[in-house]
Amino acid sequence: MLEIIILWISSFVLKKYLFSYTEWVFYFGNILKTLLRNVIPDNFVYYRTGSRIFREYYRKYSNSIVANIWKGNEFFTAFHALPGFWSITAEKHDEEITRDQLKNAWISHGIVFWTPLRRIEKPKGWIRMPRWFTKWDIHSSRSAFSILDREDYYNKWSPSARAHRRHVLGNMTSGHIRVDVTATIEDFLELYTNTKIHDPHKSFVARMTAKLFKDTESDYRVYIVYIDDRPLAGAIFIDEWTTSEYWASFYHEDSRPYHLGIAIMDQWFLDSYKKWIQYCDLDHMRDRGQSLWYAWYTKFKESIADYDVYFHDMWVRIF
């Protein structure tokens, strides 16, 4: 107890007086480590601009140009902002977009908004955007992930998360809780749309989910959790090479006493570890100044994540 108090006080002093630019998140009983962007593992995949399923989605359902830019499935998107002038988005990539790459995509003139994944130093010729704009513009200016480097991954969770896991396992042993890992997208969408949840983006997520997973060859998993044969929670995860990504979930209000969030996450971590996946990406976390609506699930993610990462750099250039 004394060590935790001393650590908390020390971190506060360092942050306030020495390292005000570093954003560390400390919470009682566990420490969520903030990872500098330049040490994000080289084989980590950012799913929104580095996965097959999102590349397919943008090509099918948007009017944007979708062009590969580097390795694997990484791509940038571009739309016509003005006649003869394009707005190009390269989100969480490390390769500098060049005039030749744009010409290969039939783009002559435009403005590039580049949010680097690992690169720290701004290349010559680029302009840094204000932090507030970056946090407003990109999908996730703060995210979190866990590394599946040990079979007992749950021992890295917070004490409360581990206690909830024990509660879940007891109910699974008794048959009170059951996780169906063979559910379909249709099963998920039916339950998702008919379950009352406090999400202002629910309709948008439902429509996007239906399109995203339609006729795709990408790997994904759907979990539905039952309490005494009543479906009360569900989630979808996207698998892309080394990384599995949380996509969407729902929790019926009657599920609260059973910690079904932990039930789903534990199943996800376990199955991912067995599939030799290295990273479970928990995606969006509440950043400073963003809506308090995000706070509740951010706190839950903090209890099971190894690291959080801030993406506060955005560089722009006009070609």
Side-chain angles (χ1 to χ4, degrees), residues 165-201:
R165 180 178 180 271
R166 290 192 293 269
H167 179 79
V168 167
L169 292 178
N171 277 319
M172 292 182 72
T173 300
S174 66
H176 197 43
I177 292 178
R178 176 172 61 90
V179 181
D180 179 9
V181 300
T182 64
T184 65
I185 289 295
E186 291 73 23
D187 296 332
F188 176 88
L189 284 173
E190 180 179 1
L191 293 168
Y192 182 80
T193 54
N194 292 324
T195 300
K196 183 180 179 180
I197 58 176
H198 300 291
D199 185 349
H201 309 297

Tab-separated table of all heavy atoms in Angstrom, residues 165-201:
chain	number	residue	atom	x	y	z
A	165	ARG	N	-13.067	-11.965	-13.114
A	165	ARG	CA	-12.812	-13.156	-13.922
A	165	ARG	C	-13.073	-14.420	-13.112
A	165	ARG	O	-13.661	-15.384	-13.627
A	165	ARG	CB	-11.374	-13.153	-14.445
A	165	ARG	CG	-11.020	-14.363	-15.309
A	165	ARG	CD	-9.585	-14.273	-15.825
A	165	ARG	NE	-9.261	-15.423	-16.654
A	165	ARG	CZ	-8.760	-16.570	-16.173
A	165	ARG	NH1	-8.520	-16.694	-14.865
A	165	ARG	NH2	-8.499	-17.574	-17.005
A	166	ARG	N	-12.644	-14.448	-11.865
A	166	ARG	CA	-12.908	-15.616	-11.014
A	166	ARG	C	-14.409	-15.825	-10.835
A	166	ARG	O	-14.890	-16.966	-10.842
A	166	ARG	CB	-12.215	-15.443	-9.660
A	166	ARG	CG	-10.692	-15.532	-9.719
A	166	ARG	CD	-10.083	-15.639	-8.340
A	166	ARG	NE	-10.279	-14.413	-7.565
A	166	ARG	CZ	-9.421	-13.394	-7.550
A	166	ARG	NH1	-8.324	-13.433	-8.298
A	166	ARG	NH2	-9.654	-12.331	-6.798
A	167	HIS	N	-15.136	-14.738	-10.684
A	167	HIS	CA	-16.589	-14.817	-10.564
A	167	HIS	C	-17.202	-15.405	-11.839
A	167	HIS	O	-18.089	-16.270	-11.777
A	167	HIS	CB	-17.145	-13.419	-10.290
A	167	HIS	CG	-18.633	-13.359	-10.170
A	167	HIS	ND1	-19.307	-13.725	-9.030
A	167	HIS	CD2	-19.591	-12.978	-11.078
A	167	HIS	CE1	-20.611	-13.570	-9.221
A	167	HIS	NE2	-20.808	-13.122	-10.449
A	168	VAL	N	-16.728	-14.947	-12.984
A	168	VAL	CA	-17.221	-15.445	-14.279
A	168	VAL	C	-16.920	-16.925	-14.433
A	168	VAL	O	-17.786	-17.719	-14.835
A	168	VAL	CB	-16.590	-14.641	-15.436
A	168	VAL	CG1	-16.823	-15.343	-16.770
A	168	VAL	CG2	-17.161	-13.229	-15.474
A	169	LEU	N	-15.689	-17.337	-14.132
A	169	LEU	CA	-15.313	-18.741	-14.287
A	169	LEU	C	-16.149	-19.641	-13.398
A	169	LEU	O	-16.516	-20.760	-13.793
A	169	LEU	CB	-13.825	-18.918	-13.969
A	169	LEU	CG	-12.845	-18.268	-14.968
A	169	LEU	CD1	-11.408	-18.469	-14.509
A	169	LEU	CD2	-13.033	-18.824	-16.373
A	170	GLY	N	-16.483	-19.165	-12.200
A	170	GLY	CA	-17.348	-19.955	-11.326
A	170	GLY	C	-18.721	-20.154	-11.938
A	170	GLY	O	-19.280	-21.255	-11.893
A	171	ASN	N	-19.262	-19.098	-12.528
A	171	ASN	CA	-20.572	-19.206	-13.160
A	171	ASN	C	-20.529	-20.033	-14.438
A	171	ASN	O	-21.522	-20.673	-14.801
A	171	ASN	CB	-21.113	-17.807	-13.472
A	171	ASN	CG	-21.791	-17.158	-12.275
A	171	ASN	OD1	-22.518	-17.817	-11.541
A	171	ASN	ND2	-21.548	-15.874	-12.078
A	172	MET	N	-19.392	-20.047	-15.115
A	172	MET	CA	-19.264	-20.889	-16.298
A	172	MET	C	-19.181	-22.355	-15.907
A	172	MET	O	-19.756	-23.226	-16.567
A	172	MET	CB	-18.035	-20.465	-17.110
A	172	MET	CG	-18.162	-19.091	-17.752
A	172	MET	SD	-16.722	-18.603	-18.759
A	172	MET	CE	-16.909	-19.686	-20.175
A	173	THR	N	-18.478	-22.647	-14.844
A	173	THR	CA	-18.361	-24.022	-14.364
A	173	THR	C	-19.727	-24.587	-13.970
A	173	THR	O	-20.038	-25.754	-14.234
A	173	THR	CB	-17.396	-24.086	-13.164
A	173	THR	OG1	-16.101	-23.624	-13.577
A	173	THR	CG2	-17.274	-25.518	-12.635
A	174	SER	N	-20.554	-23.730	-13.374
A	174	SER	CA	-21.882	-24.175	-12.940
A	174	SER	C	-22.889	-24.201	-14.084
A	174	SER	O	-24.016	-24.676	-13.905
A	174	SER	CB	-22.401	-23.250	-11.835
A	174	SER	OG	-22.634	-21.941	-12.352
A	175	GLY	N	-22.479	-23.680	-15.258
A	175	GLY	CA	-23.382	-23.647	-16.398
A	175	GLY	C	-24.277	-22.423	-16.427
A	175	GLY	O	-25.142	-22.300	-17.315
A	176	HIS	N	-24.067	-21.503	-15.506
A	176	HIS	CA	-24.888	-20.300	-15.439
A	176	HIS	C	-24.543	-19.337	-16.574
A	176	HIS	O	-25.428	-18.665	-17.123
A	176	HIS	CB	-24.666	-19.624	-14.085
A	176	HIS	CG	-25.708	-18.627	-13.722
A	176	HIS	ND1	-27.061	-18.831	-13.903
A	176	HIS	CD2	-25.596	-17.380	-13.174
A	176	HIS	CE1	-27.729	-17.778	-13.487
A	176	HIS	NE2	-26.866	-16.878	-13.044
A	177	ILE	N	-23.258	-19.271	-16.943
A	177	ILE	CA	-22.795	-18.426	-18.047
A	177	ILE	C	-22.263	-19.312	-19.162
A	177	ILE	O	-21.514	-20.256	-18.901
A	177	ILE	CB	-21.693	-17.448	-17.591
A	177	ILE	CG1	-22.255	-16.403	-16.621
A	177	ILE	CG2	-21.054	-16.745	-18.788
A	177	ILE	CD1	-21.211	-15.438	-16.102
A	178	ARG	N	-22.634	-18.984	-20.397
A	178	ARG	CA	-22.142	-19.727	-21.559
A	178	ARG	C	-21.741	-18.739	-22.646
A	178	ARG	O	-22.502	-17.818	-22.960
A	178	ARG	CB	-23.219	-20.679	-22.077
A	178	ARG	CG	-22.842	-21.421	-23.352
A	178	ARG	CD	-23.879	-22.476	-23.688
A	178	ARG	NE	-25.198	-21.921	-23.925
A	178	ARG	CZ	-25.646	-21.527	-25.118
A	178	ARG	NH1	-24.849	-21.621	-26.185
A	178	ARG	NH2	-26.878	-21.047	-25.250
A	179	VAL	N	-20.562	-18.933	-23.226
A	179	VAL	CA	-20.094	-18.082	-24.320
A	179	VAL	C	-20.170	-18.882	-25.617
A	179	VAL	O	-19.491	-19.900	-25.771
A	179	VAL	CB	-18.649	-17.588	-24.081
A	179	VAL	CG1	-18.209	-16.689	-25.235
A	179	VAL	CG2	-18.538	-16.844	-22.758
A	180	ASP	N	-20.984	-18.408	-26.542
A	180	ASP	CA	-21.112	-19.038	-27.855
A	180	ASP	C	-20.111	-18.386	-28.808
A	180	ASP	O	-20.230	-17.193	-29.121
A	180	ASP	CB	-22.538	-18.864	-28.369
A	180	ASP	CG	-22.745	-19.475	-29.749
A	180	ASP	OD1	-21.833	-20.191	-30.237
A	180	ASP	OD2	-23.815	-19.237	-30.352
A	181	VAL	N	-19.126	-19.153	-29.261
A	181	VAL	CA	-18.094	-18.616	-30.160
A	181	VAL	C	-18.396	-18.973	-31.613
A	181	VAL	O	-17.565	-18.739	-32.492
A	181	VAL	CB	-16.699	-19.137	-29.759
A	181	VAL	CG1	-16.349	-18.712	-28.346
A	181	VAL	CG2	-16.614	-20.659	-29.899
A	182	THR	N	-19.569	-19.530	-31.888
A	182	THR	CA	-19.946	-19.918	-33.254
A	182	THR	C	-21.040	-19.020	-33.821
A	182	THR	O	-21.592	-19.311	-34.878
A	182	THR	CB	-20.434	-21.378	-33.282
A	182	THR	OG1	-21.625	-21.506	-32.491
A	182	THR	CG2	-19.365	-22.316	-32.723
A	183	ALA	N	-21.363	-17.934	-33.144
A	183	ALA	CA	-22.432	-17.045	-33.589
A	183	ALA	C	-22.058	-16.359	-34.905
A	183	ALA	O	-20.881	-16.248	-35.261
A	183	ALA	CB	-22.721	-16.002	-32.509
A	184	THR	N	-23.054	-15.869	-35.604
A	184	THR	CA	-22.860	-15.213	-36.901
A	184	THR	C	-23.066	-13.698	-36.774
A	184	THR	O	-23.572	-13.203	-35.753
A	184	THR	CB	-23.856	-15.742	-37.939
A	184	THR	OG1	-25.196	-15.369	-37.537
A	184	THR	CG2	-23.760	-17.263	-38.044
A	185	ILE	N	-22.690	-12.986	-37.824
A	185	ILE	CA	-22.924	-11.551	-37.861
A	185	ILE	C	-24.419	-11.267	-37.759
A	185	ILE	O	-24.845	-10.317	-37.086
A	185	ILE	CB	-22.353	-10.943	-39.153
A	185	ILE	CG1	-20.823	-10.957	-39.116
A	185	ILE	CG2	-22.865	-9.521	-39.362
A	185	ILE	CD1	-20.223	-10.075	-38.038
A	186	GLU	N	-25.219	-12.082	-38.412
A	186	GLU	CA	-26.671	-11.903	-38.351
A	186	GLU	C	-27.190	-12.061	-36.931
A	186	GLU	O	-28.076	-11.300	-36.493
A	186	GLU	CB	-27.368	-12.888	-39.285
A	186	GLU	CG	-27.150	-12.629	-40.767
A	186	GLU	CD	-25.753	-12.977	-41.248
A	186	GLU	OE1	-25.075	-13.804	-40.588
A	186	GLU	OE2	-25.327	-12.429	-42.280
A	187	ASP	N	-26.664	-13.049	-36.201
A	187	ASP	CA	-27.047	-13.230	-34.799
A	187	ASP	C	-26.707	-11.984	-33.986
A	187	ASP	O	-27.522	-11.509	-33.187
A	187	ASP	CB	-26.318	-14.433	-34.185
A	187	ASP	CG	-26.694	-15.753	-34.828
A	187	ASP	OD1	-27.834	-15.861	-35.334
A	187	ASP	OD2	-25.858	-16.673	-34.837
A	188	PHE	N	-25.497	-11.484	-34.200
A	188	PHE	CA	-25.055	-10.305	-33.457
A	188	PHE	C	-25.939	-9.100	-33.765
A	188	PHE	O	-26.399	-8.399	-32.855
A	188	PHE	CB	-23.602	-9.982	-33.793
A	188	PHE	CG	-23.095	-8.722	-33.138
A	188	PHE	CD1	-22.536	-8.754	-31.870
A	188	PHE	CD2	-23.198	-7.495	-33.790
A	188	PHE	CE1	-22.084	-7.587	-31.255
A	188	PHE	CE2	-22.755	-6.323	-33.192
A	188	PHE	CZ	-22.192	-6.371	-31.918
A	189	LEU	N	-26.183	-8.833	-35.059
A	189	LEU	CA	-26.932	-7.646	-35.442
A	189	LEU	C	-28.371	-7.692	-34.934
A	189	LEU	O	-28.932	-6.660	-34.537
A	189	LEU	CB	-26.922	-7.490	-36.963
A	189	LEU	CG	-25.610	-6.970	-37.558
A	189	LEU	CD1	-25.653	-7.030	-39.072
A	189	LEU	CD2	-25.337	-5.543	-37.095
A	190	GLU	N	-28.969	-8.868	-34.944
A	190	GLU	CA	-30.342	-8.979	-34.437
A	190	GLU	C	-30.406	-8.603	-32.953
A	190	GLU	O	-31.280	-7.840	-32.523
A	190	GLU	CB	-30.864	-10.398	-34.645
A	190	GLU	CG	-32.297	-10.578	-34.148
A	190	GLU	CD	-32.827	-11.987	-34.368
A	190	GLU	OE1	-32.072	-12.831	-34.897
A	190	GLU	OE2	-33.983	-12.234	-33.995
A	191	LEU	N	-29.456	-9.141	-32.175
A	191	LEU	CA	-29.431	-8.837	-30.747
A	191	LEU	C	-28.995	-7.397	-30.492
A	191	LEU	O	-29.537	-6.713	-29.613
A	191	LEU	CB	-28.491	-9.811	-30.029
A	191	LEU	CG	-28.953	-11.268	-29.998
A	191	LEU	CD1	-27.822	-12.180	-29.523
A	191	LEU	CD2	-30.167	-11.419	-29.090
A	192	TYR	N	-28.022	-6.939	-31.252
A	192	TYR	CA	-27.500	-5.580	-31.079
A	192	TYR	C	-28.587	-4.540	-31.318
A	192	TYR	O	-28.743	-3.585	-30.544
A	192	TYR	CB	-26.338	-5.366	-32.049
A	192	TYR	CG	-25.671	-4.017	-31.954
A	192	TYR	CD1	-24.738	-3.739	-30.958
A	192	TYR	CD2	-25.963	-3.017	-32.884
A	192	TYR	CE1	-24.117	-2.499	-30.880
A	192	TYR	CE2	-25.345	-1.772	-32.822
A	192	TYR	CZ	-24.424	-1.511	-31.815
A	192	TYR	OH	-23.826	-0.283	-31.737
A	193	THR	N	-29.341	-4.697	-32.390
A	193	THR	CA	-30.368	-3.705	-32.721
A	193	THR	C	-31.558	-3.773	-31.763
A	193	THR	O	-32.240	-2.760	-31.561
A	193	THR	CB	-30.867	-3.911	-34.159
A	193	THR	OG1	-31.293	-5.270	-34.343
A	193	THR	CG2	-29.759	-3.607	-35.157
A	194	ASN	N	-31.806	-4.921	-31.155
A	194	ASN	CA	-32.958	-5.076	-30.265
A	194	ASN	C	-32.622	-4.885	-28.791
A	194	ASN	O	-33.520	-4.980	-27.937
A	194	ASN	CB	-33.592	-6.460	-30.457
A	194	ASN	CG	-34.244	-6.605	-31.820
A	194	ASN	OD1	-34.817	-5.652	-32.343
A	194	ASN	ND2	-34.145	-7.795	-32.410
A	195	THR	N	-31.352	-4.631	-28.493
A	195	THR	CA	-30.938	-4.419	-27.108
A	195	THR	C	-30.758	-2.932	-26.851
A	195	THR	O	-30.073	-2.244	-27.602
A	195	THR	CB	-29.614	-5.152	-26.806
A	195	THR	OG1	-29.793	-6.555	-27.025
A	195	THR	CG2	-29.189	-4.936	-25.351
A	196	LYS	N	-31.380	-2.442	-25.803
A	196	LYS	CA	-31.255	-1.038	-25.442
A	196	LYS	C	-29.882	-0.783	-24.825
A	196	LYS	O	-29.544	-1.345	-23.790
A	196	LYS	CB	-32.345	-0.638	-24.454
A	196	LYS	CG	-32.323	0.845	-24.095
A	196	LYS	CD	-33.437	1.190	-23.115
A	196	LYS	CE	-33.392	2.668	-22.741
A	196	LYS	NZ	-34.477	3.025	-21.772
A	197	ILE	N	-29.071	0.032	-25.490
A	197	ILE	CA	-27.755	0.391	-24.974
A	197	ILE	C	-27.568	1.898	-25.100
A	197	ILE	O	-28.162	2.539	-25.966
A	197	ILE	CB	-26.615	-0.340	-25.716
A	197	ILE	CG1	-26.652	-0.049	-27.218
A	197	ILE	CG2	-26.664	-1.837	-25.454
A	197	ILE	CD1	-25.510	-0.657	-27.996
A	198	HIS	N	-26.757	2.452	-24.227
A	198	HIS	CA	-26.537	3.900	-24.210
A	198	HIS	C	-25.358	4.244	-25.128
A	198	HIS	O	-24.254	4.505	-24.692
A	198	HIS	CB	-26.270	4.370	-22.786
A	198	HIS	CG	-27.398	4.083	-21.839
A	198	HIS	ND1	-28.617	4.728	-21.909
A	198	HIS	CD2	-27.496	3.196	-20.815
A	198	HIS	CE1	-29.415	4.260	-20.973
A	198	HIS	NE2	-28.762	3.328	-20.295
A	199	ASP	N	-25.643	4.216	-26.421
A	199	ASP	CA	-24.624	4.524	-27.418
A	199	ASP	C	-25.241	5.417	-28.475
A	199	ASP	O	-26.100	4.978	-29.246
A	199	ASP	CB	-24.089	3.240	-28.052
A	199	ASP	CG	-22.935	3.493	-29.013
A	199	ASP	OD1	-22.685	4.666	-29.338
A	199	ASP	OD2	-22.280	2.527	-29.438
A	200	PRO	N	-24.831	6.692	-28.543
A	200	PRO	CA	-25.417	7.598	-29.535
A	200	PRO	C	-25.090	7.205	-30.974
A	200	PRO	O	-25.723	7.695	-31.909
A	200	PRO	CB	-24.796	8.952	-29.178
A	200	PRO	CG	-23.533	8.620	-28.447
A	200	PRO	CD	-23.818	7.355	-27.711
A	201	HIS	N	-24.102	6.322	-31.157
A	201	HIS	CA	-23.688	5.909	-32.503
A	201	HIS	C	-24.244	4.535	-32.881
A	201	HIS	O	-23.793	3.939	-33.851
A	201	HIS	CB	-22.163	5.877	-32.586
A	201	HIS	CG	-21.504	7.133	-32.118
A	201	HIS	ND1	-21.680	8.350	-32.742
A	201	HIS	CD2	-20.678	7.366	-31.071
A	201	HIS	CE1	-20.989	9.280	-32.108
A	201	HIS	NE2	-20.372	8.711	-31.095
